[in-house]
Amino acid sequence: MSNQTITRAEVTDAIVREVGVTRQESSDLLDKTLELIGSALEKEDEVKLSRFGNFVVRSKSAREGRNPKTGEEAVIAARRVVTFRPSPMLKALVDKN
């Protein structure tokens, strides 16, 4: 099993190779794409990327928790979290390898 991490720079380089734009254009394109996704999620919109998956903002209510070191009980504040649900195509691709 490979534990390799793909970085933003590697994605930018891949866009340069595959699409044939300049490195600056590739970087700008990636930045704008991530900015649009982030803005949509900030407004709690669902982001659906065909053949990849869905990003959804979920609200989690406050709850009682416990400090694992001390065992002391504490309140975990309510928060919003982003979840990702992969598409069937992405699941099949991952399962194949």
Side-chain angles (χ1 to χ4, degrees):
M1 176 181 256
S2 173
N3 289 328
Q4 183 176 353
T5 301
I6 297 176
T7 65
R8 179 184 288 244
E10 291 170 334
V11 172
T12 299
D13 290 342
I15 294 171
V16 169
R17 282 191 310 275
E18 297 292 323
V19 179
V21 296
T22 67
R23 184 161 173 66
Q24 183 61 50
E25 290 171 328
S26 173
S27 178
D28 292 345
L29 178 65
L30 180 59
D31 287 343
K32 188 61 177 176
T33 301
L34 296 175
E35 181 184 315
L36 289 170
I37 291 170
S39 294
L41 293 172
E42 187 176 25
K43 294 184 289 187
E44 295 193 35
D45 292 342
E46 186 172 340
V47 176
K48 294 183 177 192
L49 300 175
S50 179
R51 299 184 318 218
F52 186 71
N54 301 336
F55 294 92
V56 180
V57 175
R58 234 176 28 112
S59 294
K60 296 182 100 177
S61 57
R63 62 185 173 90
E64 287 291 321
R66 181 166 289 136
N67 182 328
K69 284 187 177 179
T70 64
E72 182 179 330
E73 289 190 7
V75 175
I76 300 172
R79 64 192 191 279
R80 297 182 318 166
V81 296
V82 176
T83 60
F84 175 72
R85 293 184 52 214
S87 72
M89 182 180 274
L90 182 59
K91 285 181 183 180
L93 183 66
V94 170
D95 191 38
K96 183 170 63 172
N97 294 331

